[in-house]
Amino acid sequence: MKAFSYERASSVEAAAKAAAGTRGAKFIAGGTNLLDLMKLQIETPTHLIDVNDLALDKIEATPEGGLRIGALVRNTDLASDERVRRDYGLLSRALLAGASGQLRNKATTAGNLLQRTRCPYFYDTNQPCNKRQPDSGCAAIGGFSRQHAVIGVSDACIATHPSDMAIAMRALDATVETVRPDGTTRRIPIADFHRLPGDTPHVETVLEPGELITAATLPKPVGGKQIYRKVRDRASYAFALVSIGAIVQPDGTGRVAVGGIAHKPWRVEAAEADLPKGAKAVTEKLLAGAHPTEQNAFKVTLVERTLSAVLAEARG
Ligand SMILES: Cc1cc2nc3c(=O)[nH]c(=O)nc-3n(C[C@H](O)[C@H](O)[C@H](O)COP(=O)(O)OP(=O)(O)OC[C@H]3O[C@@H](n4cnc5c(N)ncnc54)[C@H](O)[C@@H]3O)c2cc1C
Ligand code: SF4
């Protein structure tokens, strides 16, 4: 591990200021992703700003009838919150489909949104990887690509975003709240938060350097049957090959976000109009323009079949 300095921020303002003042600084929350990456020297921050003392660990009702989830709310606490279980069951189920109990006890809402890809070549510092080292190449293209993305890919990167929670948040139309290093705040719709790889796959979100996430806000509940189905190689403790987060209303309309297939949570609102027609019609629009490799072409069929199972479950 490379040497780094460390401080514990005592306020949001102090954290933002510290980030602005030190080149190469990074925030650390639960540390379940960042520390692993530091040990492998994939991430080499010069300075760590520990945000765990910030008062960002509350889940509060918003005046609009939704919920404001503090950036430091642990995945376990979020999944078990009575209001989340009752009104945003999709979010609770997606969280519980991720990682393990011990990891969820540490992992935070902000850290989960910002966790990095599980592409094996990203973790192997002997291999070229444009995400780890810009302009070095992509070992996954032409390599083992069974786990990789089938849509929104580029010639520079075909990695997927690994978060389960983010899929639910995309279907629930969450908004990410932040503070910039200069103290100004902004609200970013989750649809715009994660980026596709393009020719800069190392830039994964629209966050500016040093911008601190303070919360994720959910609009008022939309009801419906809320289902999260994750298909993976093992029954637990594995990332999704394909996952579907769906909200299905009694009249058959609804929303669908898909995980395991793109560099960001994948949702195509125009495809949702076809939900009453069934999984095939929706999948055709959801995956229009898909560009799978020979090894992961099965994901296209898997999306349709998983969605079909979700719709059958919703119909009871
Ligand atoms: C073995 C294993 C299995 C896993 N399985 C799954 C799984 O199946 N599904 C799944 O979804 N996840 C899984 N995870 C990932 C886990 O959910 C993430 O590691 C976790 O959510 C990250 O949260 P954290 O608070 O520990 O983040 P950290 O590791 O502390 O930080 C992650 C990133 O977020 C940044 N950051 C943290 N807080 C803030 C903030 N407030 N503002 C701005 N930047 C911030 C950090 O600088 C860092 O870049 C797994 C992890 C492990 C180790
Ligand atoms: S798919 Fe992306 S993360 Fe994986 S090796 Fe290629 S550039 Fe790196």
Side-chain angles (χ1 to χ4, degrees):
M1 200 188 266
K2 296 239 170 170
F4 59 91
S5 49
Y6 170 89
E7 74 176 275
R8 276 182 96 92
S10 54
S11 67
V12 166
E13 294 71 30
K17 206 166 147 212
T22 319
R23 202 178 149 81
K26 278 203 88 103
F27 300 116
I28 183 161
T32 61
N33 192 216
L34 183 57
L35 286 178
D36 282 353
L37 295 168
M38 286 172 66
K39 286 180 208 163
L40 294 165
Q41 297 192 9
I42 295 165
E43 297 256 21
T44 52
T46 55
H47 183 63
L48 283 187
I49 305 162
D50 188 330
V51 294
N52 283 287
D53 287 347
L54 307 186
L56 299 174
D57 58 350
K58 312 271 182 313
I59 305 173
E60 296 161 318
T62 65
E64 296 78 31
L67 280 186
R68 185 170 188 274
I69 302 156
L72 283 170
V73 172
R74 308 286 156 177
N75 289 178
T76 299
D77 297 332
L78 185 55
S80 59
D81 183 271
E82 196 184 320
R83 294 158 295 182
V84 173
R85 284 164 54 104
R86 185 187 62 223
D87 297 329
Y88 305 97
L90 175 57
L91 180 57
S92 185
R93 289 178 191 115
L95 282 160
L96 294 174
S100 67
Q102 282 174 316
L103 283 160
R104 293 194 297 267
N105 289 344
K106 284 299 281 179
T108 63
T109 305
N112 193 314
L113 285 172
L114 294 177
Q115 63 175 289
R116 305 203 67 192
T117 187
R118 294 286 161 168
C119 170
Y121 300 107
F122 176 68
Y123 282 82
D124 183 347
T125 49
N126 294 312
Q127 298 288 337
C129 169
N130 289 321
K131 187 183 280 297
R132 178 169 24 81
Q133 193 177 346
D135 300 325
S136 62
C138 170
I141 298 174
F144 291 105
S145 55
R146 182 174 175 275
Q147 305 273 351
H148 287 73
V150 297
I151 194 152
V153 295
S154 72
D155 290 342
C157 179
I158 57 171
T160 58
H161 193 273
S163 168
D164 291 294
M165 183 194 80
I167 306 305
M169 289 209 171
R170 180 69 178 90
L172 290 163
D173 283 335
T175 302
V176 181
E177 296 182 10
T178 70
V179 177
R180 291 185 175 109
D182 66 3
T184 56
T185 59
R186 62 173 175 153
R187 293 168 53 83
I188 309 164
I190 188 122
D192 303 331
F193 183 77
H194 295 101
R195 294 177 75 253
L196 289 177
D199 52 12
T200 53
H202 58 293
V203 185
E204 293 167 352
T205 68
V206 296
L207 287 182
E208 294 168 11
E211 190 167 0
L212 177 77
I213 298 178
T214 50
T217 308
L218 300 177
K220 68 180 184 195
V222 293
K225 283 250 170 81
Q226 301 199 3
I227 297 168
Y228 189 74
R229 186 172 283 240
K230 179 174 176 180
V231 183
R232 47 190 158 175
D233 282 331
R234 284 194 303 249
S236 74
Y237 210 36
F239 289 88
L241 285 169
V242 161
S243 69
I244 304 269
I247 302 172
V248 185
Q249 302 296 349
D251 64 1
T253 62
R255 303 177 187 180
V256 178
V258 188
I261 62 165
H263 200 252
K264 60 186 285 185
W266 194 255
R267 181 174 171 201
V268 178
E269 277 82 342
E272 293 166 1
D274 283 340
L275 267 172
K277 293 188 198 163
K280 191 173 186 339
V282 178
T283 308
E284 270 169 18
K285 286 194 180 157
L286 252 175
L287 297 185
H291 192 70
T293 67
E294 205 175 306
Q295 292 171 25
N296 69 14
F298 72 94
K299 285 193 178 187
V300 173
T301 318
L302 192 55
V303 169
E304 185 186 326
R305 290 187 180 166
T306 310
L307 181 58
S308 181
V310 164
L311 296 181
E313 186 181 338
R315 283 194 299 269

